[in-house]
Amino acid sequence: MSQILTGILDDIRTEYVQILQHSSGLDPFLNAQKLCQNQLSISTDQLAKIINEDPNLLAARAGELIRDLQQAENPSAGHIISANIRSAALESLLDAAVHYGWLQTNAEGAIQIGDGEIEAADALLQVSEDYSQSKTALENISKPGVSVLNTLIHGAETEFIKQLDSQVLDAYSLAIEVAGAHSVFTPEEIAPLVIENPLLLGLRADDLVVDDVFESDPPAGIIISSHITQMVIDHLLELATDRGALALDGEGQLILPGNEDQPPLIH
């Protein structure tokens, strides 16, 4: 686990125990929910650092964890990860409540929570993080040197140009093939891109992820991966157009081979 996140969760657990000790164990579930919501509103840049320390967080899925209706339908990668962090923190606090005797378990081992506490917790105002701002992203734009993303795009561009004149495939199909070969899929591959540009955490699945592959619940990392792959495809198609391998219609839109009148689905 990320050392940053471990420190945050340890502090929350300490505060939780202190609160319940002072109140003689009053409202353990409601207090746990309040703490997780108030203390785990993690900024864009801090979440990127946490992911850099623990890339496996990029494998997180939304499931039923996002209660904010505005975010639940099409959550960003950052919201998915934050929701999973809150869920893990809540579970840890409830385990502590059982340990100290503030909550009880039934014969099946399930924690017993009063209906009044559940209703009060459901009524809590949901706080949605803003992943449209990042000091790190702005700083990195002005830094000299080649970025991780530029290196990825350059590698795809080099291979695409090399194959363009000799490849049997049309330019469009070749762009899809080359972009796929240079895609980043694993958490370890995606994390360096996130720490370099934390604004990637604001990306949403939109129409880039095939629903039946991930059952309409793609991992946070795949959402980011899909957008990066689409970015590479767009760059390669622009190259193909500049080299005369693809043409534009009267409205400036690419004339794609066959019936390819829709953008490709990446995953």
Side-chain angles (χ1 to χ4, degrees), residues 85-133:
I85 290 174
R86 283 198 181 95
S87 177
L90 178 63
E91 183 178 347
S92 174
L93 297 186
L94 296 183
D95 285 344
V98 171
H99 173 76
Y100 284 97
W102 299 320
L103 283 172
Q104 306 299 320
T105 57
N106 60 21
E108 288 74 34
I111 297 176
Q112 297 178 302
I113 302 169
D115 292 338
E117 276 198 86
I118 294 176
E119 291 176 4
D122 287 341
L124 291 175
L125 179 65
Q126 295 299 300
V127 178
S128 293
E129 295 82 358
D130 180 6
Y131 295 110
S132 65
Q133 298 182 14

Side-chain angles (χ1 to χ4, degrees), residues 157-179:
E157 176 182 312
T158 300
E159 181 177 341
F160 181 70
I161 293 174
K162 182 179 179 180
Q163 295 190 43
L164 188 58
D165 295 332
S166 59
Q167 179 60 250
V168 175
L169 293 174
D170 58 78
Y172 178 83
S173 299
L174 178 61
I176 303 299
E177 181 181 277
V178 171

